[in-house]
Amino acid sequence: MYLNFMPSNASETQRGTASARKRGTSSLLLLGPAFVAAVAYVDPGNVAANLTAGAEYGYLLVWVLVAANLIAVLVQYLSSKLGLVSGQSLSGILGRRLGRRRRLAYWGQAEIVAIATDLAEVVGGAIALKILFDLPLLLGGVIVGIVSLVLLSIQSSRGQRPFEFVIIGFLAIIAIGFLAGLVVGDVDWGQAAGGLLPRLEGTNSLVLAASMLGATVMPHAIYLHSALSVDRHGGQPRTAIPRLLRASRWDVVASLVIAGSVNIAMLLLAAAALRGEGGTDTIEGAHAVVTANLGEVVGLFFGIGLLASGLASSAVGSYAGASIMQGLLRVDIPIVWQRAVTMIPALIVLAIGADPTWALVLSQVVLSLGIPFAMVPLVRLTANRAIMGEYANGRWITTAAVIASALIIALNVALLVLLALGIE
């Protein structure tokens, strides 16, 4: 009896283990949407902000990136949860709840956000092509736009999963490109750890901290994640929601740990290689100094990382713009037309010879204006039991989300006021 019992129990154990493995494998297959959204957190605007922070203040503002990433985890999870539970994107819900005039006005500000997003990404990609191949900025911008359309065609023709794999590949290239410098860079890890203590040094560091926070939690990424969740998991039975939410939590944490590490790596690289150096007020100048101080291989990786950032974030930004337009205008508009609307202003900026780094900074200021229009409705809708049912935010999540929203909005208002007053 004992001998008979052991094989039976072993068989049950094996079946249980196999079932657990199957659940684990299938859960891994649910990951992906957050990695697409995470590309927004390592776009060229982030590159400009993080390099500037490290070059001007060394390790002082490491804490800003850590705080921004923690807030981003909460915000992106709420956006994903809204899509999974309601079956609608954030812009889609707003499009159904707002009257015609308010809906058009809301779409107007969201479209400005999409244009500002594309400005940063096309310009950043153009700068990368100039660094790598010495191409004229305008030609580089056109190439970035064309490649982003090719990437979007993968989603249109092959579906969501292949598109996610391509974007995850770009995210890996971005990570390698900006983490490579840490291998040979002379980072003072003691001072870097000291940068985790929240503090500032004057008004300019406050402006820069607000810029970094605003560049990290971007409005189009908030709209986007809910749309990605609907596109990927829409049509699932309600009984699948708990499992999808668990997978989403892992998806968000894993993707933003990578994105956050890349952002911190940019700042550490700048603090180690750019601090006290002249000519680092532009991305091209920063690349030149990095190459001179750390070698041509690191400079090459830097350029490749910046190019991957521009190409991937441009495609993802266009995806976000199309979902916003579809949700708020409630019409299906070909992605090519949406791409043209948002890309033309970026090409005009490049054609007139405007300072590309200045254009990146300006785009981040515009994006800061759009944050409340995305964050406030997100927090309210995910706390609404009529929409979310038993999955509505609890008191602690709502409190944390309100505090995070208030912090981001307050810092960005401070940024705008200080810039308007011309305070250095």
Side-chain angles (χ1 to χ4, degrees):
M1 185 173 180
Y2 178 77
L3 293 174
N4 288 335
F5 174 78
M6 285 299 292
S8 173
N9 189 50
S11 177
E12 289 177 9
T13 302
Q14 289 170 356
R15 284 196 300 270
T17 303
S19 177
R21 283 202 194 103
K22 184 177 180 182
R23 285 197 302 272
T25 302
S26 58
S27 294
L28 285 176
L29 294 177
L30 297 176
L31 306 183
F35 282 85
V36 176
V39 167
Y41 292 85
V42 287
D43 78 343
N46 293 86
V47 176
N50 296 330
L51 291 180
T52 301
E56 291 189 13
Y57 293 100
Y59 306 99
L60 178 73
L61 299 178
V62 171
W63 66 272
V64 176
L65 292 178
V66 173
N69 217 58
L70 291 174
I71 293 173
V73 168
L74 174 61
V75 171
Q76 292 306 132
Y77 174 66
L78 292 183
S79 179
S80 175
K81 184 168 82 165
L82 179 65
L84 292 173
V85 175
S86 71
Q88 303 175 72
S89 67
L90 174 59
S91 57
I93 294 176
L94 292 173
R96 288 172 175 81
R97 294 169 72 91
L98 297 175
R100 185 174 181 276
R101 290 185 179 179
R102 292 177 62 194
R103 181 161 47 86
L104 290 175
Y106 216 95
W107 167 77
Q109 63 81 26
E111 194 64 24
I112 292 172
V113 163
I115 290 171
T117 300
D118 222 28
L119 176 66
E121 291 153 356
V122 171
V123 169
I127 293 174
L129 287 171
K130 184 175 182 181
I131 288 173
L132 292 170
F133 305 109
D134 199 27
L135 292 181
L137 287 174
L138 180 58
L139 176 59
V142 172
I143 292 173
V144 170
I146 293 172
V147 173
S148 67
L149 279 176
V150 173
L151 294 177
L152 287 167
S153 71
I154 295 173
Q155 194 275 338
S156 300
S157 61
R158 305 272 181 148
Q160 183 82 1
R161 192 61 173 163
F163 178 71
E164 289 173 0
F165 280 131
V166 171
I167 297 300
I168 289 171
F170 272 103
L171 185 58
I173 294 172
I174 295 167
I176 294 170
F178 290 110
L179 289 171
L182 297 185
V183 177
V184 297
D186 188 21
V187 176
D188 187 326
W189 294 104
Q191 289 190 34
L196 295 173
L197 179 65
R199 64 193 192 281
L200 297 167
E201 290 181 0
T203 302
N204 195 50
S205 66
L206 171 62
V207 172
L208 191 53
S211 298
M212 293 164 67
L213 191 58
T216 301
V217 185
M218 301 174 73
H220 79 286
I222 301 173
Y223 292 110
L224 173 65
H225 204 160
S226 60
L228 288 168
S229 295
V230 173
D231 290 346
R232 175 71 184 283
H233 301 301
Q236 295 279 349
R238 195 161 182 85
T239 54
I241 290 178
R243 182 163 170 260
L244 292 174
L245 290 176
R246 284 194 299 272
S248 179
R249 284 193 287 270
W250 282 107
D251 199 21
V252 169
V253 171
S255 62
L256 288 178
V257 163
I258 294 173
S261 299
V262 172
N263 279 318
I264 292 172
M266 293 179 199
L267 189 149
L268 297 181
L269 178 65
L274 306 183
R275 187 82 193 272
E277 299 280 353
T280 59
D281 54 341
T282 67
I283 292 179
E284 291 177 81
H287 170 263
V289 174
V290 166
T291 302
N293 290 351
L294 301 179
E296 292 188 3
V297 173
V298 174
L300 177 62
F301 275 110
F302 180 98
I304 292 173
L306 179 61
L307 178 59
S309 169
L311 294 175
S313 59
S314 184
V316 171
S318 295
Y319 192 124
S323 67
I324 291 169
M325 183 178 285
Q326 183 179 29
L328 291 172
L329 295 185
R330 293 190 284 184
V331 293
D332 289 325
I333 297 175
I335 191 70
V336 174
W337 292 109
Q338 166 64 22
R339 189 74 189 87
V341 168
T342 57
M343 193 173 94
I344 288 174
L347 295 181
I348 291 174
V349 168
L350 294 175
I352 63 177
D355 178 3
T357 302
W358 174 84
L360 283 174
V361 173
L362 179 62
S363 71
Q364 303 310 299
V365 175
V366 174
L367 287 173
S368 73
L369 291 170
I371 290 176
F373 294 96
M375 284 199 67
V376 173
L378 176 67
V379 175
R380 292 187 63 182
L381 290 172
T382 52
N384 189 332
R385 289 196 173 275
I387 295 173
M388 303 296 290
E390 68 269 32
Y391 301 105
N393 296 338
R395 181 180 301 174
W396 290 109
I397 293 293
T398 299
T399 301
V402 168
I403 292 173
S405 301
L407 175 63
I408 292 175
I409 293 168
L411 281 175
N412 280 284
V413 168
L415 168 65
L416 294 173
V417 170
L418 291 172
L419 288 175
L421 295 176
I423 297 175
E424 297 293 333

